[in-house]
Amino acid sequence: MKFETNWRPVRNNGMPLYRQIADYVRAKIESGEWPPGSRIPTERAIAQVFGVNRSTIVQAFAELTADGLIEGKSGSGTIVSAAAAWDNEVPKLPDWEAYVKTGVHRPNQRTIQDINHAEFIPDIIRLGTGEPSPDLYPKAMNRILRQLPPQTDIFGYPEPRGLYPLREEISKHMAGYGVNVSPDSVLIVSGALQALQLIALGLLKNGSSVLTESPSYLQSLQVFQSAGMSMIGLPLNEEGMDARALEHYAGSGKGTLLYTIPSFHNPTGTVMSLNRRQDVYQLCVKYKLPIMEDDAYRDLWLDEPSPPPLKSLDQNGLVLYIGSMSKTLSPGLRIGWVIGPEQVIHRLADVKMQSDYGASTLSQWTVAQFLRQGLYGEHLDHVRKELRARRAYMLQLLDYYLKGVAEWVEPAGGFYIWLRFKRDLSIHALFDAALKDGVLLNPGYLYDKTDQNHLRLSYSYASFEQMKIGIGRLAHSIP
Amino acid sequence: MKFETNWRPVRNNGMPLYRQIADYVRAKIESGEWPPGSRIPTERAIAQVFGVNRSTIVQAFAELTADGLIEGKSGSGTIVSAAAAWDNEVPKLPDWEAYVKTGVHRPNQRTIQDINHAEFIPDIIRLGTGEPSPDLYPKAMNRILRQLPPQTDIFGYPEPRGLYPLREEISKHMAGYGVNVSPDSVLIVSGALQALQLIALGLLKNGSSVLTESPSYLQSLQVFQSAGMSMIGLPLNEEGMDARALEHYAGSGKGTLLYTIPSFHNPTGTVMSLNRRQDVYQLCVKYKLPIMEDDAYRDLWLDEPSPPPLKSLDQNGLVLYIGSMSKTLSPGLRIGWVIGPEQVIHRLADVKMQSDYGASTLSQWTVAQFLRQGLYGEHLDHVRKELRARRAYMLQLLDYYLKGVAEWVEPAGGFYIWLRFKRDLSIHALFDAALKDGVLLNPGYLYDKTDQNHLRLSYSYASFEQMKIGIGRLAHSIP
Ligand SMILES: Cc1ncc(COP(=O)(O)O)c(C=O)c1O
Ligand SMILES: Cc1ncc(COP(=O)(O)O)c(C=O)c1O
């Protein structure tokens, strides 16, 4: 277990630090947060989080041991003693370790867990983060929330497919991209990630296999694997996924579904060409292979719009289209959508009702207002301008600091630069070294387990100042 | 597939109704919403939803058949013809019916799906709905949202456990109930239902069995069954679940987890007595059986507070406590929480990050403000007063209309009256008859498959006027 808390001991408050810390641990034990028999964080971890000397922790632990609350156990560190329980006949109950380990759902990859936590370290420079910088959040948010009607009835449990006004706006928005569907075929989800989860649980069976680009955002997740499915990676070139590889797998009956990020691909930034889109679509028609088109970055073109969605080619109801407001309006709203054949939408809506009864109606209402009032379009213009400047600056920094050791392609939109080191080096070690220096990276191996020489950089999040410091430190950390 | 749409044909707009409807269907087919090979809704269902004569639909279908877009298929109704596809070599693609049927997750029970949809029929009287009436939503919502700071950084992806200020407020709120835990052991979830889903996916393995009251809200869900777990029902009396039955199952090694709703139980309204709480807790200690305590209704006591949570007895870290703002502030916010040993909270937070990256931060911030500004307490006082009046009125109506045929107990809090008919009757037929009359009921068999003579009534949702009409109609529908 990772040790994390916002509590800190206070210096010079009349009580020695070790005593404050012993009291803190005592409270954890008495409240059952650290139950009898459970392992407690190491002295080292505690000392580090609290910013005190290891010896302070040793002293606190000595006191707690003397009180019979904790005990050293050879091989498994320090544990809460059984005697700490009210009911001290019972040695260890329940065995949460076993529960935590046996769940059906796989844990996130270690590095992802580390990143999820490190993101909240104060002053950390996040050079790979896939979210917009807080500067880019829409200024109109406050204006919209002030318009919330009094006594509004939006606050009940939402309809299975989501608030109708939002589905209507999404349907109009998509018409602008050549996707003409009614609000009936739109399902609102709590972010695009949830769409993947619903599809995994609602449409696929154990033993299914998902074809996808390699590398891919999808490979950084466990959503399909946790539901008993496997993944097959297809090579990617500058026009998008390799159609021949697709034909090979689809033709030999491998693959229950194709997942693709055709526009400003995560992590490579690639845009699938119109020709390739047509080829991929026709192959999927030929082999009756449904497509999940994850278009989370479509609205973020910087040079020119990306070719029309695969969904716009689709009169056959082959494509499940996924969109998101996370990369454009704000990830905290947790609003995405799925478009597909009505029967599929109904099934996914039913699974969604069983997962969380729908997305926050406050978020749904807010996004509907953004779209309805034309504020989303205005906001995108602003965000694109800012992202262009950020992209230019990061490319300039890369040129300055990393030209000799790495190469990259200028992305035409989205957030990412897929940096390739010209020689193999330990990306694990680089990740660790940078983190020690206060710089958080996204290693390429998250998106392709075999990758040895890529980083996913993002120009969306860090400030200009942070980019400069961060890339400078990164250059220094390279062995 | 259920046929539902907000579109309606318009009378006297210069185009005959059948033609408008034919155009509607054509658009569904051309957009891929109703793909080639898929079954389309029956003439009867369409006529009903559009409020037109069946013959109008027959005429529309004749036109569509003549155009080669649809075809009657003996045994499986009307389907979209293969020839309707762009690419008319391909007969039927993909076979979404098969996908929809094979997903890992079970569909909701038929009646629940019907209820989820019927709730959005205009003017329907909802006599069993488990949510507060829109009149009860807090008036302070607008005031709070107006306080949203400009350029706030809450709109990023949230921390795995949720926004710290909200966890802090929940920790304080729970201290008021004798549960003393730090914000570190609080996980914010998108409603209590999601907590169940995370526990099912994160802590239990295939083949686990969950002990719970019978009847129970839990029995109306598929969340554990979909993850391969079974349920064992324990009888319930006026003091709570039967401790002897619990000992019997726990003692014979059956049961991986106990799920209980000790306060204002859904659907029976039962409050577990303090003695029973102690007995249940001690039995679980004895058999090392973890407890999920679902306390969604605790704040809604009407006569006197319910006894302290099981969690307040728990120094052993045996209890996972679940709370929710759905029944008090508003279900649309989708905010609930789980409290438990830190290692369990970390595991659940990780699974949550993989499901939807966290709950809406807009909702989280709003709830934190309610708590911090003391508005939640004020709001509860108001809601309790209103619920008391509603409860009294419904009891009065029951006395007037149903005294002869049914019996019930006055609940001490929460939303529900568990109505028992004195003789067996077909609750299925009653449900259908009432629905035809515009009254939506929650049959007892949702909460216990073998139940034959209960309804769950709720005084929380319908207006006084609606309660009167609804219970009157219900009395009429009884055979
Ligand atoms: C391609 C892609 N799809 C989906 C997501 C998840 O987005 P959301 O916040 O909408 O769940 C991301 C975010 O990283 C992404 O890059
Ligand atoms: C006992 C109980 N638990 C959980 C829930 C789900 O509540 P939420 O809206 O917080 O997901 C309900 C709602 O019906 C309930 O009655």
Side-chain angles (χ1 to χ4, degrees), chain B residues 113-133:
Chain B
Q113 290 195 34
D114 289 345
I115 292 175
N116 286 343
H117 294 296
E119 285 179 344
F120 296 91
I121 297 174
D123 300 325
I124 190 104
I125 296 180
R126 296 159 60 175
L127 278 191
T129 295
E131 68 179 272
S133 152

Side-chain angles (χ1 to χ4, degrees), chain A residues 345-378:
Chain A
I345 292 302
H346 275 266
R347 168 70 173 148
L348 298 178
D350 183 49
V351 178
K352 171 135 180 78
M353 284 304 275
Q354 298 191 58
S355 304
D356 63 8
Y357 290 131
S360 162
T361 54
L362 187 52
S363 289
Q364 291 191 61
W365 179 85
T366 305
V367 173
Q369 294 303 314
F370 261 99
L371 289 162
R372 173 164 295 176
Q373 301 182 19
L375 296 167
Y376 183 62
E378 270 175 38

Side-chain angles (χ1 to χ4, degrees), chain A residues 5 28 33 86 96 99 105 142 148 155 182 184-185 201 217 256 315 317 332 334 342 347 356-357 360, chain B residues 5 28 33 86 96 99 105 142 148 155 182 184-185 201 217 256 315 317 332 334 342 347 356-357 363:
Chain A
T5 176
K28 288 274 171 196
E33 294 179 71
W86 263 17
W96 282 121
Y99 280 83
H105 209 293
N142 295 63
L148 189 73
F155 286 112
S182 72
D184 302 333
S185 304
L201 294 178
Y217 166 68
T256 320
Q315 203 199 359
R334 307 306 308 126
E342 263 183 68
R347 168 70 173 148
D356 63 8
Y357 290 131
S360 162
Chain B
T5 175
K28 288 276 171 193
E33 293 178 72
W86 263 17
W96 282 120
Y99 279 85
H105 209 293
N142 296 65
L148 190 74
F155 286 113
S182 71
D184 302 334
S185 304
L201 295 177
Y217 165 68
T256 319
Q315 204 199 359
R334 308 306 309 125
E342 263 183 68
R347 168 71 171 144
D356 62 10
Y357 290 131
S363 289

Side-chain angles (χ1 to χ4, degrees), chain B residues 34-265:
Chain B
W34 294 358
S38 68
R39 213 172 325 170
I40 74 173
T42 60
E43 290 169 352
R44 194 162 148 269
I46 300 182
Q48 202 188 344
V49 168
F50 289 164
V52 301
N53 280 327
R54 178 97 172 253
S55 61
T56 308
I57 311 295
V58 171
Q59 206 177 349
F61 274 26
E63 180 172 307
L64 293 160
T65 308
D67 290 354
L69 285 173
I70 63 174
E71 57 195 60
K73 203 164 174 183
S74 65
S76 63
T78 308
I79 64 165
V80 178
S81 1
W86 263 17
D87 189 324
N88 57 22
E89 294 135 47
V90 183
K92 188 180 173 187
L93 47 69
D95 187 0
W96 282 120
E97 297 261 330
Y99 279 85
V100 163
K101 280 185 191 133
T102 53
V104 176
H105 209 293
R106 298 195 185 190
N108 249 320
Q109 294 180 47
R110 187 77 248 162
T111 308
I112 303 246
Q113 290 195 34
D114 289 345
I115 292 175
N116 286 343
H117 294 296
E119 285 179 344
F120 296 91
I121 297 174
D123 300 325
I124 190 104
I125 296 180
R126 296 159 60 175
L127 278 191
T129 295
E131 68 179 272
S133 152
D135 310 346
L136 300 178
Y137 298 151
K139 309 259 184 304
M141 192 77 88
N142 296 65
R143 203 179 345 143
I144 285 182
L145 288 171
R146 244 177 277 125
Q147 299 164 5
L148 190 74
Q151 274 315 320
T152 166
D153 58 0
I154 62 163
F155 286 113
Y157 284 106
E159 280 191 71
R161 282 172 295 183
L163 291 188
Y164 185 74
L166 178 55
R167 289 189 279 127
E168 208 169 24
E169 292 301 326
I170 296 289
S171 154
K172 281 187 213 152
H173 174 67
M174 293 308 304
Y177 289 126
V179 174
N180 293 296
V181 295
S182 71
D184 302 334
S185 304
V186 176
L187 170 68
I188 304 302
V189 288
S190 308
L193 175 60
Q194 191 185 46
L196 308 186
Q197 166 103 341
L198 296 177
I199 290 168
L201 295 177
L203 297 181
L204 300 179
K205 61 180 165 204
N206 241 290
S208 298
S209 53
V210 178
L211 304 179
T212 184
E213 288 107 357
S214 176
S216 173
Y217 165 68
L218 195 65
Q219 313 242 16
S220 72
L221 308 175
Q222 304 285 355
V223 52
F224 289 107
Q225 292 91 323
S226 288
M229 289 137 211
S230 60
M231 308 248 283
I232 298 175
L234 306 175
L236 190 62
N237 63 25
E238 62 285 355
E239 282 199 64
M241 71 168 60
D242 185 331
R244 244 172 320 171
L246 173 59
E247 172 133 44
H248 167 76
Y249 286 109
S252 56
K254 286 197 180 112
T256 319
L257 194 81
L258 175 69
Y259 171 90
T260 177
I261 309 170
S263 304
F264 318 117
H265 178 261

